[in-house]
Amino acid sequence: MIYLDYNATAPTRPEALAALVAAVQAGGNPSSVHSLGRAARRRVEEARRSVADLVAVDANQVVFTATGTEANNMALGGYPDHAVIISAIEHDAVKQAAPDATILPVKADGTLDMDALDAALAQASRPPLVSVMLANSETGILQPIPEIAARVHAKGGLLHCDAVQAAGRIPLDMAALGADLLTLSGHKLGGVPGAAALILGASISGTAREPLPLLRGGGQEKGRRAGTEAVGAIAAFGVAAQAAKAEIPAMAALAALRDKAEADLCALGAFLPAATGAPRLPNCFSVALPGKPAETQVIALDLAGFAVSAGSACSSGKVKRSAVLAAMGYPDEIAGATIRVSFGVGTTAAQLEQFCSAWQRLAGRSVTPHTNLVKLD
């Protein structure tokens, strides 16, 4: 099986697995005062420093959670007196966390409509809390977060940024982004499921502006998130964060692999709905095959030995029309027939060439080569 679904979850790094096993075998509750408890606490705090380093913040700004979904809920549910505003292309973990939010449209290139943002901020009757993801999980398109942050802050609001897909793939500096709250997830970096984090901006960390806790109980994570920390998953998260940061210089090579694969697919007549000209992550692309539902394509490619996906992974595993592509203005024939290919530093040019050959067989027809990457009418 050639694994091309890194945006769903990255393969577990051997060093992260080793950290998980060592922590689980050592045992100990990090809240206990005996030697085993203190050792567990050291593992958690070492991981906290590594995760903080990934986004250039102090360790005390890192709040460990179990999942990115929990971190998003903590951010959006932590300010009940704010008016929540989100983009139309957010992950369901944001959309479902704020079902009454004002929804902002995106432009045809997949980036946020700034005029709509300004209008929503002007109309907000309460302090605004805006949530815009840094990198879209389906298209890889990057949002201009520093510009968004400046507009939100000018209106006295807070900005939450889901950076789950961007972490480890582009350099991240939370202060430079201007975000007040930032979500990360360990398994997207090569850790294991069970550990994620909400990063608090320097201007709110340790102040009355911190979000209200989503979980209350024993007072762990300085009272910010109750519940015994998952030491093994957190240790793996820390190791994965270190490794992912070290790999960022290699991302240019992934961008070259992406560009070559896209050119090969275009030569076969493929349509690439995410190649709009907006900045993107280096490790993924989307390809549409009108007439063949995305689910059919995913299954056929699985049988051919390729693991790809259609949109964001969800608990049911159900494939449906891409809400992201629909928000960008694509018709159902594109939004319902697009698959996502995502990869990492272990992916080779030969593997992507094999994928392109498999896609050509799946297309099952002769098509006219073209290089037009502009959205279809």
Short mmCIF file of all heavy atoms in Angstrom, two decimals, residues 290-344:
data_model
loop_
_atom_site.label_atom_id
_atom_site.label_comp_id
_atom_site.label_asym_id
_atom_site.label_seq_id
_atom_site.Cartn_x
_atom_site.Cartn_y
_atom_site.Cartn_z
N PRO A 290 -14.74 14.30 -12.90
CA PRO A 290 -16.19 14.41 -13.05
C PRO A 290 -16.78 13.14 -13.68
O PRO A 290 -16.21 12.56 -14.60
CB PRO A 290 -16.34 15.61 -13.98
CG PRO A 290 -15.12 16.43 -13.73
CD PRO A 290 -14.03 15.43 -13.51
N GLY A 291 -17.91 12.73 -13.12
CA GLY A 291 -18.55 11.51 -13.60
C GLY A 291 -18.28 10.32 -12.73
O GLY A 291 -18.97 9.30 -12.82
N LYS A 292 -17.24 10.41 -11.87
CA LYS A 292 -16.93 9.32 -10.94
C LYS A 292 -16.98 9.88 -9.52
O LYS A 292 -16.14 10.71 -9.15
CB LYS A 292 -15.56 8.71 -11.22
CG LYS A 292 -15.49 7.85 -12.49
CD LYS A 292 -14.18 7.12 -12.59
CE LYS A 292 -14.10 6.28 -13.87
NZ LYS A 292 -15.06 5.18 -13.88
N PRO A 293 -17.96 9.48 -8.71
CA PRO A 293 -18.04 10.00 -7.34
C PRO A 293 -16.73 9.77 -6.59
O PRO A 293 -16.02 8.78 -6.82
CB PRO A 293 -19.18 9.19 -6.73
CG PRO A 293 -20.02 8.77 -7.90
CD PRO A 293 -19.04 8.54 -9.02
N ALA A 294 -16.43 10.69 -5.69
CA ALA A 294 -15.19 10.60 -4.92
C ALA A 294 -15.07 9.27 -4.20
O ALA A 294 -13.99 8.66 -4.14
CB ALA A 294 -15.10 11.75 -3.93
N GLU A 295 -16.19 8.78 -3.64
CA GLU A 295 -16.16 7.51 -2.92
C GLU A 295 -15.74 6.37 -3.83
O GLU A 295 -14.94 5.51 -3.44
CB GLU A 295 -17.53 7.22 -2.32
CG GLU A 295 -17.57 5.95 -1.48
CD GLU A 295 -18.90 5.78 -0.78
OE1 GLU A 295 -19.87 6.48 -1.13
OE2 GLU A 295 -18.98 4.95 0.13
N THR A 296 -16.24 6.36 -5.06
CA THR A 296 -15.86 5.33 -6.02
C THR A 296 -14.37 5.38 -6.32
O THR A 296 -13.70 4.35 -6.40
CB THR A 296 -16.66 5.52 -7.32
OG1 THR A 296 -18.06 5.41 -7.04
CG2 THR A 296 -16.27 4.48 -8.36
N GLN A 297 -13.85 6.59 -6.46
CA GLN A 297 -12.42 6.76 -6.74
C GLN A 297 -11.56 6.27 -5.57
O GLN A 297 -10.56 5.58 -5.78
CB GLN A 297 -12.12 8.22 -7.02
CG GLN A 297 -12.80 8.79 -8.24
CD GLN A 297 -12.46 10.26 -8.43
OE1 GLN A 297 -11.28 10.63 -8.48
NE2 GLN A 297 -13.47 11.11 -8.51
N VAL A 298 -11.95 6.63 -4.36
CA VAL A 298 -11.19 6.23 -3.18
C VAL A 298 -11.13 4.70 -3.07
O VAL A 298 -10.06 4.12 -2.81
CB VAL A 298 -11.78 6.84 -1.90
CG1 VAL A 298 -11.16 6.23 -0.65
CG2 VAL A 298 -11.59 8.36 -1.90
N ILE A 299 -12.27 4.05 -3.29
CA ILE A 299 -12.32 2.59 -3.19
C ILE A 299 -11.49 1.95 -4.30
O ILE A 299 -10.72 1.00 -4.06
CB ILE A 299 -13.78 2.10 -3.25
CG1 ILE A 299 -14.53 2.55 -1.99
CG2 ILE A 299 -13.84 0.58 -3.38
CD1 ILE A 299 -16.01 2.32 -2.05
N ALA A 300 -11.62 2.46 -5.52
CA ALA A 300 -10.88 1.90 -6.65
C ALA A 300 -9.37 2.05 -6.45
O ALA A 300 -8.61 1.11 -6.72
CB ALA A 300 -11.32 2.56 -7.94
N LEU A 301 -8.96 3.20 -5.96
CA LEU A 301 -7.53 3.40 -5.73
C LEU A 301 -7.03 2.57 -4.56
O LEU A 301 -5.88 2.10 -4.56
CB LEU A 301 -7.25 4.89 -5.50
CG LEU A 301 -7.37 5.75 -6.77
CD1 LEU A 301 -7.44 7.23 -6.41
CD2 LEU A 301 -6.19 5.49 -7.70
N ASP A 302 -7.87 2.36 -3.57
CA ASP A 302 -7.51 1.47 -2.46
C ASP A 302 -7.24 0.06 -2.99
O ASP A 302 -6.24 -0.58 -2.62
CB ASP A 302 -8.63 1.46 -1.43
CG ASP A 302 -8.31 0.61 -0.21
OD1 ASP A 302 -7.15 0.62 0.23
OD2 ASP A 302 -9.22 -0.07 0.28
N LEU A 303 -8.11 -0.41 -3.85
CA LEU A 303 -7.92 -1.74 -4.43
C LEU A 303 -6.67 -1.80 -5.30
O LEU A 303 -6.05 -2.86 -5.45
CB LEU A 303 -9.16 -2.13 -5.26
CG LEU A 303 -10.45 -2.34 -4.46
CD1 LEU A 303 -11.63 -2.54 -5.40
CD2 LEU A 303 -10.31 -3.52 -3.51
N ALA A 304 -6.29 -0.64 -5.85
CA ALA A 304 -5.08 -0.58 -6.68
C ALA A 304 -3.82 -0.38 -5.85
O ALA A 304 -2.71 -0.35 -6.39
CB ALA A 304 -5.22 0.54 -7.70
N GLY A 305 -3.99 -0.21 -4.52
CA GLY A 305 -2.83 -0.11 -3.65
C GLY A 305 -2.45 1.29 -3.22
O GLY A 305 -1.31 1.53 -2.81
N PHE A 306 -3.42 2.23 -3.28
CA PHE A 306 -3.14 3.62 -2.90
C PHE A 306 -4.15 4.08 -1.85
O PHE A 306 -5.36 3.95 -2.06
CB PHE A 306 -3.21 4.54 -4.11
CG PHE A 306 -2.20 4.23 -5.17
CD1 PHE A 306 -2.50 3.31 -6.17
CD2 PHE A 306 -0.95 4.83 -5.18
CE1 PHE A 306 -1.57 2.99 -7.15
CE2 PHE A 306 -0.02 4.53 -6.16
CZ PHE A 306 -0.33 3.59 -7.15
N ALA A 307 -3.66 4.62 -0.75
CA ALA A 307 -4.53 5.16 0.30
C ALA A 307 -4.63 6.66 0.10
O ALA A 307 -3.67 7.41 0.34
CB ALA A 307 -3.97 4.84 1.67
N VAL A 308 -5.80 7.13 -0.39
CA VAL A 308 -6.08 8.55 -0.54
C VAL A 308 -7.42 8.81 0.15
O VAL A 308 -8.02 7.90 0.72
CB VAL A 308 -6.14 8.97 -2.02
CG1 VAL A 308 -4.81 8.69 -2.71
CG2 VAL A 308 -7.28 8.25 -2.75
N SER A 309 -7.88 10.04 0.11
CA SER A 309 -9.16 10.34 0.75
C SER A 309 -9.93 11.36 -0.06
O SER A 309 -9.42 11.93 -1.03
CB SER A 309 -8.95 10.83 2.18
OG SER A 309 -8.28 12.08 2.18
N ALA A 310 -11.16 11.58 0.36
CA ALA A 310 -12.01 12.61 -0.24
C ALA A 310 -12.41 13.55 0.87
O ALA A 310 -13.28 13.23 1.68
CB ALA A 310 -13.23 11.98 -0.90
N GLY A 311 -11.76 14.69 0.98
CA GLY A 311 -12.08 15.63 2.03
C GLY A 311 -11.51 15.21 3.37
O GLY A 311 -10.63 14.36 3.46
N SER A 312 -12.04 15.82 4.44
CA SER A 312 -11.56 15.54 5.79
C SER A 312 -12.05 14.19 6.27
O SER A 312 -13.17 13.79 5.98
CB SER A 312 -12.05 16.64 6.75
OG SER A 312 -11.53 17.89 6.36
N ALA A 313 -11.22 13.51 7.03
CA ALA A 313 -11.63 12.24 7.64
C ALA A 313 -12.67 12.53 8.72
O ALA A 313 -12.57 13.50 9.45
CB ALA A 313 -10.41 11.55 8.25
N CYS A 314 -13.67 11.67 8.81
CA CYS A 314 -14.69 11.83 9.85
C CYS A 314 -14.95 10.49 10.51
O CYS A 314 -14.51 9.45 10.04
CB CYS A 314 -15.99 12.41 9.28
SG CYS A 314 -16.83 11.33 8.11
N SER A 315 -15.68 10.50 11.61
CA SER A 315 -15.83 9.29 12.41
C SER A 315 -16.56 8.19 11.67
O SER A 315 -16.30 7.02 11.88
CB SER A 315 -16.58 9.63 13.71
OG SER A 315 -17.86 10.16 13.42
N SER A 316 -17.49 8.56 10.80
CA SER A 316 -18.27 7.54 10.11
C SER A 316 -17.55 6.96 8.92
O SER A 316 -17.92 5.91 8.40
CB SER A 316 -19.61 8.14 9.64
OG SER A 316 -19.38 9.11 8.63
N GLY A 317 -16.53 7.68 8.43
CA GLY A 317 -15.84 7.25 7.23
C GLY A 317 -16.65 7.49 5.97
O GLY A 317 -16.26 7.09 4.89
N LYS A 318 -17.76 8.18 6.09
CA LYS A 318 -18.63 8.42 4.94
C LYS A 318 -18.03 9.49 4.04
O LYS A 318 -17.55 10.52 4.50
CB LYS A 318 -20.02 8.85 5.40
CG LYS A 318 -21.01 9.06 4.27
CD LYS A 318 -22.38 9.45 4.82
CE LYS A 318 -23.38 9.65 3.70
NZ LYS A 318 -24.71 10.04 4.22
N VAL A 319 -18.06 9.24 2.74
CA VAL A 319 -17.59 10.21 1.77
C VAL A 319 -18.77 11.00 1.26
O VAL A 319 -19.80 10.44 0.87
CB VAL A 319 -16.86 9.51 0.60
CG1 VAL A 319 -16.44 10.52 -0.46
CG2 VAL A 319 -15.64 8.74 1.11
N LYS A 320 -18.65 12.31 1.25
CA LYS A 320 -19.74 13.16 0.76
C LYS A 320 -19.17 14.31 -0.04
O LYS A 320 -17.95 14.49 -0.14
CB LYS A 320 -20.57 13.68 1.94
CG LYS A 320 -19.75 14.41 3.00
CD LYS A 320 -20.61 14.77 4.20
CE LYS A 320 -19.78 15.45 5.29
NZ LYS A 320 -20.58 15.78 6.47
N ARG A 321 -20.03 15.09 -0.64
CA ARG A 321 -19.61 16.24 -1.43
C ARG A 321 -18.76 17.17 -0.58
O ARG A 321 -19.06 17.43 0.59
CB ARG A 321 -20.85 16.98 -1.93
CG ARG A 321 -20.53 18.14 -2.85
CD ARG A 321 -21.75 19.01 -3.10
NE ARG A 321 -22.08 19.81 -1.93
CZ ARG A 321 -22.72 20.97 -1.98
NH1 ARG A 321 -23.14 21.44 -3.13
NH2 ARG A 321 -23.00 21.63 -0.87
N SER A 322 -17.71 17.70 -1.16
CA SER A 322 -16.82 18.59 -0.44
C SER A 322 -17.49 19.94 -0.20
O SER A 322 -17.76 20.69 -1.15
CB SER A 322 -15.52 18.80 -1.21
OG SER A 322 -14.78 19.87 -0.66
N ALA A 323 -17.73 20.26 1.07
CA ALA A 323 -18.29 21.56 1.41
C ALA A 323 -17.28 22.67 1.14
O ALA A 323 -17.65 23.82 0.87
CB ALA A 323 -18.72 21.58 2.87
N VAL A 324 -16.00 22.33 1.22
CA VAL A 324 -14.95 23.32 0.96
C VAL A 324 -14.98 23.76 -0.50
O VAL A 324 -14.98 24.95 -0.82
CB VAL A 324 -13.57 22.75 1.33
CG1 VAL A 324 -12.45 23.69 0.87
CG2 VAL A 324 -13.47 22.52 2.83
N LEU A 325 -15.01 22.78 -1.41
CA LEU A 325 -15.03 23.12 -2.84
C LEU A 325 -16.35 23.80 -3.21
O LEU A 325 -16.37 24.70 -4.06
CB LEU A 325 -14.80 21.88 -3.68
CG LEU A 325 -13.42 21.22 -3.53
CD1 LEU A 325 -13.30 20.01 -4.45
CD2 LEU A 325 -12.30 22.21 -3.80
N ALA A 326 -17.44 23.37 -2.58
CA ALA A 326 -18.72 24.02 -2.83
C ALA A 326 -18.66 25.49 -2.41
O ALA A 326 -19.18 26.38 -3.09
CB ALA A 326 -19.84 23.30 -2.10
N ALA A 327 -18.01 25.77 -1.26
CA ALA A 327 -17.87 27.15 -0.79
C ALA A 327 -17.02 27.98 -1.73
O ALA A 327 -17.18 29.21 -1.80
CB ALA A 327 -17.27 27.16 0.61
N MET A 328 -16.11 27.33 -2.46
CA MET A 328 -15.27 28.03 -3.42
C MET A 328 -16.00 28.26 -4.74
O MET A 328 -15.45 28.89 -5.66
CB MET A 328 -13.99 27.23 -3.66
CG MET A 328 -13.05 27.22 -2.45
SD MET A 328 -11.68 26.04 -2.62
CE MET A 328 -10.79 26.70 -4.04
N GLY A 329 -17.22 27.74 -4.85
CA GLY A 329 -18.02 27.99 -6.04
C GLY A 329 -18.05 26.88 -7.05
O GLY A 329 -18.62 27.03 -8.14
N TYR A 330 -17.48 25.73 -6.72
CA TYR A 330 -17.47 24.62 -7.67
C TYR A 330 -18.82 23.90 -7.68
O TYR A 330 -19.45 23.73 -6.62
CB TYR A 330 -16.36 23.63 -7.34
CG TYR A 330 -14.98 24.17 -7.62
CD1 TYR A 330 -14.15 24.57 -6.59
CD2 TYR A 330 -14.51 24.29 -8.92
CE1 TYR A 330 -12.88 25.07 -6.84
CE2 TYR A 330 -13.25 24.79 -9.18
CZ TYR A 330 -12.44 25.19 -8.14
OH TYR A 330 -11.19 25.70 -8.39
N PRO A 331 -19.26 23.45 -8.85
CA PRO A 331 -20.53 22.71 -8.93
C PRO A 331 -20.38 21.31 -8.36
O PRO A 331 -19.26 20.83 -8.11
CB PRO A 331 -20.80 22.66 -10.44
CG PRO A 331 -19.43 22.70 -11.06
CD PRO A 331 -18.62 23.61 -10.17
N ASP A 332 -21.49 20.63 -8.17
CA ASP A 332 -21.48 19.29 -7.60
C ASP A 332 -20.63 18.32 -8.42
O ASP A 332 -20.04 17.39 -7.86
CB ASP A 332 -22.91 18.75 -7.48
CG ASP A 332 -23.68 19.40 -6.34
OD1 ASP A 332 -23.04 20.14 -5.56
OD2 ASP A 332 -24.89 19.17 -6.23
N GLU A 333 -20.57 18.51 -9.73
CA GLU A 333 -19.81 17.58 -10.57
C GLU A 333 -18.32 17.62 -10.23
O GLU A 333 -17.59 16.66 -10.49
CB GLU A 333 -20.02 17.89 -12.05
CG GLU A 333 -19.49 19.25 -12.49
CD GLU A 333 -19.66 19.47 -13.97
OE1 GLU A 333 -19.32 18.57 -14.75
OE2 GLU A 333 -20.15 20.55 -14.36
N ILE A 334 -17.86 18.73 -9.63
CA ILE A 334 -16.48 18.84 -9.16
C ILE A 334 -16.40 18.54 -7.67
O ILE A 334 -15.59 17.72 -7.22
CB ILE A 334 -15.89 20.23 -9.46
CG1 ILE A 334 -15.83 20.50 -10.97
CG2 ILE A 334 -14.51 20.38 -8.82
CD1 ILE A 334 -14.89 19.58 -11.71
N ALA A 335 -17.25 19.20 -6.89
CA ALA A 335 -17.20 19.06 -5.43
C ALA A 335 -17.48 17.63 -4.98
O ALA A 335 -17.01 17.21 -3.92
CB ALA A 335 -18.20 20.01 -4.78
N GLY A 336 -18.23 16.87 -5.78
CA GLY A 336 -18.53 15.49 -5.40
C GLY A 336 -17.65 14.46 -6.06
O GLY A 336 -17.83 13.26 -5.86
N ALA A 337 -16.67 14.93 -6.82
CA ALA A 337 -15.82 14.00 -7.58
C ALA A 337 -14.34 14.32 -7.44
O ALA A 337 -13.55 14.05 -8.34
CB ALA A 337 -16.23 14.03 -9.06
N THR A 338 -13.97 14.88 -6.30
CA THR A 338 -12.58 15.28 -6.07
C THR A 338 -11.98 14.47 -4.93
O THR A 338 -12.60 14.30 -3.89
CB THR A 338 -12.50 16.78 -5.74
OG1 THR A 338 -12.97 17.53 -6.85
CG2 THR A 338 -11.07 17.20 -5.43
N ILE A 339 -10.76 14.00 -5.14
CA ILE A 339 -10.03 13.29 -4.10
C ILE A 339 -8.82 14.11 -3.69
O ILE A 339 -8.35 14.97 -4.43
CB ILE A 339 -9.58 11.88 -4.56
CG1 ILE A 339 -8.67 11.98 -5.78
CG2 ILE A 339 -10.79 10.99 -4.83
CD1 ILE A 339 -8.04 10.65 -6.17
N ARG A 340 -8.35 13.84 -2.47
CA ARG A 340 -7.17 14.54 -1.95
C ARG A 340 -6.01 13.58 -1.84
O ARG A 340 -6.15 12.45 -1.34
CB ARG A 340 -7.48 15.10 -0.57
CG ARG A 340 -6.30 15.81 0.10
CD ARG A 340 -6.60 16.13 1.55
NE ARG A 340 -6.71 14.92 2.37
CZ ARG A 340 -7.21 14.89 3.60
NH1 ARG A 340 -7.67 16.00 4.13
NH2 ARG A 340 -7.26 13.78 4.28
N VAL A 341 -4.85 14.03 -2.31
CA VAL A 341 -3.61 13.27 -2.20
C VAL A 341 -2.68 14.05 -1.29
O VAL A 341 -2.39 15.23 -1.55
CB VAL A 341 -2.96 13.08 -3.58
CG1 VAL A 341 -1.64 12.33 -3.46
CG2 VAL A 341 -3.91 12.34 -4.53
N SER A 342 -2.23 13.45 -0.20
CA SER A 342 -1.34 14.14 0.73
C SER A 342 -0.21 13.21 1.13
O SER A 342 -0.40 12.01 1.28
CB SER A 342 -2.12 14.63 1.96
OG SER A 342 -2.83 13.58 2.59
N PHE A 343 0.97 13.77 1.31
CA PHE A 343 2.16 12.93 1.49
C PHE A 343 3.17 13.61 2.40
O PHE A 343 2.92 14.71 2.92
CB PHE A 343 2.77 12.61 0.12
CG PHE A 343 2.81 13.79 -0.83
CD1 PHE A 343 3.92 14.61 -0.91
CD2 PHE A 343 1.71 14.09 -1.62
CE1 PHE A 343 3.96 15.69 -1.77
CE2 PHE A 343 1.72 15.17 -2.49
CZ PHE A 343 2.86 15.98 -2.56
N GLY A 344 4.30 12.95 2.62
CA GLY A 344 5.30 13.47 3.54
C GLY A 344 6.70 13.18 3.06
O GLY A 344 6.92 12.75 1.92
#
